[in-house]
Amino acid sequence: MSLVAQAFEASKIVPDVIPVAPIKNIELKYPSGAIASQGNELTPTQVKDQPSVTFEAEADAFYTLVFTDPDNYDGPELVYREWHHWLVGNIPGGDLSAGETLSGYIGSGPPQGTGIHRYVYILYKQPGKLDFDEKRLTNTSIDSRASFSTKKFAEKYNLGAPVAGNFYRAQFDDYVPQLYKSLGA
């Protein structure tokens, strides 16, 4: 079992978010200098800006990147649990900037008193170029981000098993209120 798969299973991302762990790593480097590494702890301040994303890709394939927080809600109704922070589809080869942004990047913002959250990046190889019918969201819109399900999203678009992944953990810091203000929350 790969180190990525081991980390995803040990942190219960499998089965909380996806049924099968990815094998390969997504490299995530933030403008702050922070690097995500299979569960290390980063601060919301360190991850407030969109990272550079690098992954092993086939030049003629299309990919979908999902960035989600499965610890958004810790109540009895799991449907509210997952909140997606970034969705990019139809990524040609490894060129994320040429992909179709479905939801603009929003950094981590765990509410005060909710403890540490897992922030998960999952990459899927698409069966071909797709026609996504998701509502397009800017990086200042929180519409339709709650009650997300990576598993259902992957099933809807027939994405199959994830090919790569990475995650970090974060908890509240002084940047979070600024993030909420920018989102009108």
Side-chain angles (χ1 to χ4, degrees):
M1 182 181 293
S2 75
L3 293 176
V4 174
Q6 287 176 14
F8 268 58
E9 290 192 8
S11 296
K12 298 191 179 357
I13 294 166
V14 174
D16 288 354
V17 181
I18 50 177
V20 178
I23 296 170
K24 296 180 180 173
N25 187 56
I26 298 172
E27 191 175 283
L28 302 163
K29 293 182 181 177
Y30 289 86
S32 67
I35 296 173
S37 182
Q38 303 305 332
N40 61 325
E41 186 170 347
L42 300 174
T43 67
T45 302
Q46 290 176 303
V47 299
K48 65 185 178 80
D49 300 311
Q50 182 176 309
S52 66
V53 179
T54 309
F55 53 88
E56 193 176 303
E58 295 173 24
D60 60 348
F62 290 95
Y63 296 86
T64 295
L65 180 70
V66 175
F67 173 39
T68 188
D69 170 5
D71 302 317
N72 179 57
Y73 174 77
D74 194 21
E77 299 165 26
L78 295 180
V79 68
Y80 300 115
R81 187 173 187 179
E82 204 175 330
W83 201 91
H84 79 271
H85 286 255
W86 194 20
L87 289 176
V88 183
N90 291 324
I91 302 166
D95 187 1
L96 184 72
S97 65
E100 183 180 346
T101 300
L102 308 176
S103 297
Y105 178 87
I106 295 177
S108 301
Q112 192 165 12
T114 62
I116 198 153
H117 291 221
R118 297 166 293 173
Y119 289 91
V120 185
Y121 284 84
I122 301 165
L123 184 75
Y124 293 93
K125 181 180 172 187
Q126 298 176 188
K129 192 164 186 180
L130 297 173
D131 183 18
F132 291 97
D133 67 2
E134 307 301 307
K135 180 179 179 184
R136 300 308 190 265
L137 303 174
T138 68
N139 66 349
T140 59
S141 174
I142 59 173
D143 293 345
S144 306
R145 289 183 187 257
S147 303
F148 185 75
S149 169
T150 300
K151 182 180 175 186
K152 288 179 183 174
F153 179 83
E155 288 170 355
K156 177 179 179 179
Y157 293 106
N158 194 28
L159 297 176
V163 294
N166 201 341
F167 69 103
Y168 62 87
R169 292 178 171 89
Q171 54 190 321
F172 180 88
D173 78 356
D174 292 341
Y175 170 70
V176 174
Q178 294 173 46
L179 174 64
Y180 288 178
K181 187 176 181 184
S182 74
L183 297 172

